[in-house]
Amino acid sequence: RKEVEQDPGPFNVPEGATVAFNCTYSNSASQSFFWYRQDCRKEPKLLMSVYSSGNEDGRFTAQLNRASQYISLLIRDSKLSDSATYLCVVNMGVYNNNDMRFGAGTRLTVKP
Amino acid sequence: ETGVTQSPTHLIKTRGQQVTLRCSSQSGHNTVSWYQQALGQGPQFIFQYYREEENGRGNFPPRFSGLQFPNYSSELNVNALELDDSALYLCASSFFETGAYGYTFGSGTRLTVV
């Protein structure tokens, strides 16, 4: 089983749509969870952290289910500017609390 | 506050050659992690340096090696380059004591092996 697995995508949606990405992780001792956004040929940038109680940042909602080792990201009212690859990131804590492992990413294209 | 800087931005090497990539960590950060990102894939963890020592390593062969300097900057060295080493190499700096929060990436070095 891969350390971090994501929906393979790609997702092609019209503007205004709601889209959800899913992610599972293998290490039940993992300590913290994140969603990063990566634009084409650029470095990953932090979109949001994921907290146990779930958290929201504008149109973005992240959920964590520790029992199922599952993370999700919901984007409401998609904008053209949301087109990017979304990376699920888990702090595995194998070596220390800086041990970040990435999923393969899910590509989103929002069309007019 | 300066961000993470990597050099060079692009590089073309021939199979069998050696390459050194450089990373300057963000001000106040003391840990550097290196990742390899092949086209269409997520970043794969190579290794991490803290206090000038390797502090964890992913599934990469010994020809991938690194260093961290007293100013927390770091180098990634790859010997005997193979075609499959062609990728975007990313470094990320962080402050060890606060963990994964504050992880900041450089813009990467794109390595092409021909």
Side-chain angles (χ1 to χ4, degrees):
Chain A
R1 183 179 176 185
K2 288 185 179 178
E3 293 174 323
V4 183
E5 283 199 83
Q6 291 186 242
D7 285 338
F11 284 66
N12 297 302
V13 303
E15 269 187 293
T18 296
V19 61
F21 304 140
N22 301 316
C23 171
T24 57
Y25 59 95
S26 61
N27 185 357
S28 60
S30 297
Q31 301 175 11
S32 48
F33 310 88
F34 308 87
W35 284 100
Y36 274 68
R37 170 191 170 130
Q38 187 172 27
D39 293 297
C40 189
R41 303 182 75 84
K42 300 281 190 180
E43 74 274 22
K45 292 188 176 178
L46 178 66
L47 177 66
M48 60 195 300
S49 303
V50 186
Y51 301 116
S52 297
S53 54
N55 49 299
E56 192 172 302
D57 183 1
R59 298 181 292 108
F60 299 83
T61 301
Q63 297 278 352
L64 167 65
N65 184 324
R66 286 187 183 269
S68 303
Q69 294 175 214
Y70 170 90
I71 305 160
S72 65
L73 176 68
L74 184 77
I75 305 176
R76 291 183 301 279
D77 189 23
S78 299
K79 310 292 185 192
L80 296 177
S81 58
D82 293 335
S83 297
T85 295
Y86 291 83
L87 296 160
C88 175
V89 185
V90 177
N91 183 6
M92 289 284 181
V94 173
Y95 299 108
N96 51 61
N97 58 357
N98 285 258
D99 190 6
M100 301 275 267
R101 306 300 173 100
F102 288 73
T106 303
R107 187 178 180 114
L108 171 67
T109 301
V110 181
K111 299 187 174 181
Chain B
E1 178 180 283
T2 58
V4 178
T5 57
Q6 291 187 243
S7 63
T9 54
H10 295 84
L11 201 53
I12 299 175
K13 288 286 191 177
T14 303
R15 191 170 48 183
Q17 285 188 313
Q18 179 266 342
V19 68
T20 297
L21 310 182
R22 295 178 175 84
C23 173
S24 295
S25 60
Q26 180 171 303
S27 176
H29 284 179
N30 56 14
T31 304
V32 174
S33 304
W34 286 93
Y35 291 83
Q36 180 196 65
Q37 187 174 23
L39 199 61
Q41 302 296 316
Q44 297 296 306
F45 176 67
I46 302 175
F47 43 54
Q48 181 183 94
Y49 277 84
Y50 171 61
R51 291 184 175 176
E52 301 177 52
E53 292 191 357
E54 188 178 287
N55 191 45
R57 187 180 184 93
N59 189 26
F60 280 80
R63 59 190 185 83
F64 286 78
S65 63
L67 285 172
Q68 186 179 35
F69 300 99
N71 66 355
Y72 305 122
S73 67
S74 178
E75 287 183 354
L76 164 66
N77 299 291
V78 187
N79 294 322
L81 283 167
E82 301 176 1
L83 297 178
D84 283 350
D85 295 333
S86 295
L88 179 68
Y89 288 84
L90 294 160
C91 81
S93 74
S94 56
F95 186 59
F96 186 88
E97 288 75 4
T98 57
Y101 298 93
Y103 226 66
T104 305
F105 280 91
S107 54
T109 295
R110 192 164 297 278
L111 172 65
T112 303
V113 182
V114 296

